[in-house]
């Protein structure tokens, strides 16, 4: 019988009394490896109540002491990185190298959180009026919640709870029901780091469980990462219940290739950025925008480079990338590829019907290259989330900028060029939140925020960086004056708002 994924409530791993369970599969075989509970309301209530009680004490723990817990956590994550990577690779299908890379990017956020004593400092100004000083203080919100997607089951929870908890909050996480084993590993190490029980709670399930968090009066703020339609629902529901919300959602990321770019670099980076993690990254490059006539000829070499990729299971060190997360995801990607052909695009490389020896049931899709794509086609309009690269051709940089700016998403983009002037113009004029210059996937390190924009983000304050500190705290401002012998008096009541 498949193992049951436990809840993490009040510092303990407990078996849920759920009536309904969701199968967790290995995407390379579709074998069921675990069952994930659809957490009943009473257990969610218990988790939130425990978080609330724990937060009451935690907010009084000195900030340097909180940072020391995070230091222990960071050490444990590093020590267990390989083991977490194996769990992550089994349930997501990622290659072990990619799984390790994902965990490392999460560890970097914990390292950033270790600097919270500095990051949490407020501001001060003496003499804002005669003998009047002002100070501002960052204080925790209470209990925060996180709802996370399947494609980064370690990194994205680590974007959230270490910073939220380090800021003095408790945190209730509802990870993706498609890969709940990795977040469980993160919780095991959290427990081992010695954090007081109750600060991190993990409940499992889908829409109903997410909604329970969004509607609960004891949840103050919600961090969400996932698809656009779900993100819109989360943002509307959370804000309708007067909560803070930050929703990082889907994307369509273009790489603009100028004719003066280094062709070899362009091709290598396009291949990795389009097909790494089987294209299941919100920052994957899914559209190559080739500028000018001479770059048209580059598609042949791009096709040959993509044709060399081969998907495989996490246990195969030579695999370029793994399977898609589910049979449904594979069917949808294959449907979009077929539709592109019917809509008149040129299918230079067709990854449909891909097989991997020894893994007949895996959700494999081969690297796919679609040329002559137009903005009206479904393969352009939707986030494909597969190893599929669309190619579009424009005459010049202005047309490229216009194309990218017209796209409703604004997560990431990239330009490859040798021209400083072209790069400068691109970064200045482009309406996208994260820009790479000769870098295909510009995911900022955690001291900067993850600043996706337009339809890729709903909210005001982004994930990690200084934004996250503001998101997970409220600011208190104190204006103070101490009377002494020199303080003037006897002028009568001050009937204005002015300080005197
Ligand atoms: P998803 O929206 O299907 O699921 C995300 C989370 O929401 C899961 O925990 C899921 O259980 C929950 N959920 C699903 N339906 C819900 C509903 N109707 N109401 C409330 N909660 C619901 O996303 P996914 O398929 O797991 O992840 C892929 C998506 O995430 C892609 O669109 C990708 O671009 C996006 N993503 C964005 C970023 C970013 O930073 N912008 C990062 C990673 C992934």
């Amino acid at each position: 019988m498949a193992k049951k994924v436990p809840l993490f409530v009040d510092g303990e791993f407990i078996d849920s009394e759920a009536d309904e369970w969701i199968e967790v599969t290995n995407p390379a075989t579709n074998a069921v490896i675990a069952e994930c509970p659809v957490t009943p309301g009473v257990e969610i209530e218990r988790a939130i109540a425990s978080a609330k009680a724990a937060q009451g004490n935690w907010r009084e723990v000195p900030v340097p002491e909180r940072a020391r817990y995070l230091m222990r956590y960071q050490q444990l994550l590093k020590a267990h990185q390989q083991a977490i990577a194996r769990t992550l690779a089994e349930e997501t299908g990622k290659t072990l190298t990619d799984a390790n890379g994902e965990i490392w990017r999460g560890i970097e956020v914990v390292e950033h959180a270790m600097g919270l004593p500095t990051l949490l400092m407020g501001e001060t100004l003496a003499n804002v009026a005669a003998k009047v000083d002002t100070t501002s203080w960052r204080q925790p919100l209470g209990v925060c919640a996180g709802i996370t997607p399947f494609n980064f089951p370690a990194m994205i929870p680590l974007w959230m709870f270490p910073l939220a908890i380090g800021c003095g909050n408790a945190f209730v996480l509802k990870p993706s029901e498609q890969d709940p084993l990795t977040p469980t590993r993160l919780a095991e190490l959290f427990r081992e780091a010695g954090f007081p029980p109750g600060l991190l709670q993990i409940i499992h399930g889908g829409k109903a469980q997410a909604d329970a968090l969004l509607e609960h009066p004891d949840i103050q703020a919600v961090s969400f990462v996932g698809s656009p339609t779900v993100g819109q629902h989360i943002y509307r529901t959370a804000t309708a219940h007067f909560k803070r919300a930050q929703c990082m959602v889907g994307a369509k990321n273009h790489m603009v290739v100028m004719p003066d770019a280094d062709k070899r670099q362009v091709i290598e980076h396009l291949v990795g950025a389009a097909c790494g993690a089987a294209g299941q990254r919100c920052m994957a490059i899914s559209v190559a925008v080739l500028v000018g006539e001479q770059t048209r000829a580059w598609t042949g070499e791009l096709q040959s480079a993509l044709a060399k990729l081969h998907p495989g299971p996490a246990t195969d060190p030579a695999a370029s990338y793994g399977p898609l997360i589910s049979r449904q995801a594979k069917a949808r990607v294959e449907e979009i590829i077929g539709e592109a052909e019917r809509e008149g695009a040129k299918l230079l490389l067709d990854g449909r019907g891909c097989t991997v020896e020894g893994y007949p049931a895996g959700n494999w899709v081969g690297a796919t290259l679609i040329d002559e794509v137009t903005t009206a086609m479904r393969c352009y309009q939707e986030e494909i989330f597969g190893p599929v690269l669309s190619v579009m051709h424009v005459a010049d940089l202005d047309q490229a900028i216009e194309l990218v700016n017209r796209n409703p998403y604004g997560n990431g983009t990239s330009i490859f060029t040798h021209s400083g002037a072209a790069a400068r113009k691109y970064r200045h004029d482009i309406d996208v939140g994260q820009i790479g210059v000769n870098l295909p996937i510009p995911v900022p390190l955690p001291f900067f925020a993850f600043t996706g924009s337009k339809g890729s983000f709903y909210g005001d304050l982004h994930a990690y960086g200084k934004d996250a500190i503001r998101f997970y705290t409220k600011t208190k401002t104190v204006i103070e004056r101490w009377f002494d012998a020199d303080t003037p008096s006897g002028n009568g009541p001050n009937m204005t708002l002015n300080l005197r």
Side-chain angles (χ1 to χ4, degrees):
M1 215 171 74
K3 66 180 160 207
K4 305 255 188 219
V5 181
L7 306 175
F8 185 52
V9 175
D10 209 16
E12 300 295 335
F13 290 98
I14 60 165
D15 293 332
S16 173
E17 300 284 323
D19 294 329
E20 204 186 323
W21 294 75
I22 300 163
E23 289 182 342
V24 180
T25 53
N26 175 337
T29 59
N30 274 306
V32 176
I33 52 174
E35 289 188 335
C36 176
V38 178
T39 311
V42 53
E43 292 173 352
I44 299 175
E45 282 295 337
R46 199 179 138 199
I48 297 173
S50 157
K52 193 177 174 186
Q55 196 270 335
N57 300 325
W58 179 245
R59 57 171 287 136
E60 302 304 334
V61 172
V63 182
E65 189 60 30
R66 290 190 221 146
R68 271 177 222 121
Y69 283 104
L70 288 162
M71 285 177 209
R72 282 197 288 278
Y73 191 42
Q74 181 256 17
Q75 292 288 312
L76 285 165
L77 288 168
K78 277 167 80 173
H80 294 267
Q81 186 176 351
Q82 301 297 332
I84 308 170
R86 283 192 292 275
T87 303
L88 194 155
E90 188 187 16
E91 64 178 345
T92 61
K94 283 188 186 184
T95 64
L96 272 174
T97 318
D98 194 23
N100 262 298
E102 166 183 346
I103 297 161
W104 180 250
R105 297 241 38 184
I107 291 173
E108 286 178 326
V109 183
V110 182
E111 286 180 359
H112 173 62
M114 284 156 47
L116 275 167
T118 309
L119 293 165
L120 276 170
M121 281 181 185
E123 295 173 313
T124 59
L125 185 63
N127 282 341
V128 293
K131 299 197 177 189
V132 177
D133 304 328
T134 303
T135 45
S136 72
W137 309 74
R138 296 208 173 282
Q139 298 211 316
L141 300 176
V143 183
C144 304
I147 299 162
T148 53
F150 80 82
N151 66 332
F152 289 106
M155 181 184 80
I156 289 179
L158 289 172
W159 282 4
M160 300 177 181
F161 70 79
L163 281 163
I165 291 172
C167 286
N169 303 290
F171 199 87
V172 183
L173 175 68
K174 195 219 71 71
S176 170
E177 64 278 30
Q178 297 189 87
D179 42 21
L181 296 169
T182 305
T184 305
R185 296 284 298 131
L186 300 181
E188 282 165 11
L189 298 177
F190 185 87
R191 189 169 185 253
E192 208 177 316
F195 283 92
L199 291 179
L200 175 65
Q201 316 270 340
I202 303 188
I203 59 145
H204 295 286
K207 176 174 166 44
Q209 288 61 39
D211 286 349
L213 298 177
L214 301 176
E215 291 165 12
H216 200 285
D218 288 335
I219 301 285
Q220 307 300 329
V222 178
S223 301
F224 170 83
V225 179
S227 59
T229 42
V230 176
Q232 284 165 15
H233 160 75
I234 301 271
Y235 191 72
R236 284 198 189 103
T237 313
T239 52
H241 288 81
F242 307 110
K243 299 181 197 315
R244 278 188 197 184
Q246 51 172 199
C247 298
M248 284 63 76
V249 299
K252 198 77 186 168
N253 306 311
H254 304 69
M255 179 161 135
V256 171
V257 178
M258 297 300 286
D260 66 359
D262 179 321
K263 183 171 62 171
R264 193 178 51 85
Q265 293 280 6
V266 165
I267 289 169
E268 268 181 15
H269 282 108
L270 268 176
V271 167
C275 295
Q280 298 173 112
R281 289 180 179 145
C282 67
M283 289 289 279
I285 290 290
S286 51
V287 186
V289 183
L290 304 188
V291 178
E293 270 310 303
Q294 82 194 65
T295 55
R296 281 190 170 267
W298 297 11
T299 50
E301 277 179 59
L302 189 54
Q303 178 183 346
S304 314
L306 285 165
K308 290 193 188 115
L309 300 183
H310 60 91
T315 45
D316 174 3
S320 318
Y321 60 86
L324 295 194
I325 188 71
S326 64
R327 288 196 180 104
Q328 295 87 318
K330 172 182 154 100
R332 178 179 163 273
V333 170
E334 292 197 332
E335 187 185 295
I336 294 175
I337 298 170
E339 213 164 308
E341 201 174 26
R342 287 194 293 280
E343 286 174 319
K346 264 203 228 160
L347 203 47
L348 297 184
L349 197 62
D350 183 355
R352 290 175 296 177
C354 174
T355 54
V356 171
E357 206 187 315
Y359 293 84
N363 311 320
W364 312 109
V365 176
T368 299
L369 184 63
I370 313 177
D371 197 5
E372 307 289 351
V373 168
T374 68
T375 54
M377 293 175 183
R378 182 177 171 201
C379 67
Y380 182 75
Q381 291 184 344
E382 287 183 25
E383 180 181 38
I384 302 178
F385 237 50
V388 180
L389 180 64
S390 298
V391 177
M392 301 174 86
H393 301 272
V394 295
D396 54 29
L397 181 58
D398 285 332
Q399 281 187 13
I401 291 172
E402 199 193 319
L403 172 76
V404 178
N405 283 350
R406 266 207 320 268
N407 191 281
Y409 293 111
N411 221 28
T413 186
S414 157
I415 182 167
F416 270 63
T417 182
H418 268 123
S419 157
R424 201 266 166 199
K425 181 177 169 60
Y426 194 71
R427 73 173 156 76
H428 187 72
D429 291 353
I430 209 71
D431 189 7
V432 172
Q434 301 173 106
I435 301 155
V437 175
N438 297 319
L439 267 164
I441 304 189
V443 176
L445 287 170
F447 6 97
F448 291 90
F450 187 93
T451 51
S453 64
K454 291 200 287 187
S456 296
F457 178 69
Y458 304 111
D460 305 290
L461 294 166
H462 295 86
Y464 62 80
K466 289 190 188 123
D467 270 21
I469 312 301
R470 292 185 63 201
F471 184 78
Y472 292 127
T473 57
K474 56 187 162 195
T475 304
K476 213 183 236 181
T477 310
V478 181
I479 308 179
E480 70 189 288
R481 167 167 60 194
W482 293 94
F483 297 117
D484 61 18
D486 300 337
T487 311
S489 63
N491 294 338
N494 179 1
M495 306 305 287
T496 72
L497 256 184
N498 304 345
L499 297 172
R500 70 167 163 89

